[in-house]
Amino acid sequence: MEFTILFLAITIVMLVAWRGPRPLAVGLFAAVLIGCVATFLHHATDRLNLSF
């Protein structure tokens, strides 16, 4: 679910960057980038229960 939200947020940022003011687009991009890094770190630290 969080990946869907991130994808929609990136889409909104691209639309704002295309039509809106530059400072708003840069600020939204920074917020989405922080969200992407936080999501990555959350999933990168999960333990995988593998049995071979």
Side-chain angles (χ1 to χ4, degrees), residues 5-42:
I5 294 170
L6 285 173
F7 179 78
L8 290 174
I10 290 169
T11 304
I12 291 169
V13 170
M14 288 192 309
L15 290 173
V16 169
W18 186 25
R19 298 296 244 171
R22 181 183 170 116
L24 178 62
V26 171
L28 289 174
F29 172 74
V32 171
L33 185 64
I34 289 169
C36 288
V37 169
T39 302
F40 170 74
L41 290 176
H42 171 72

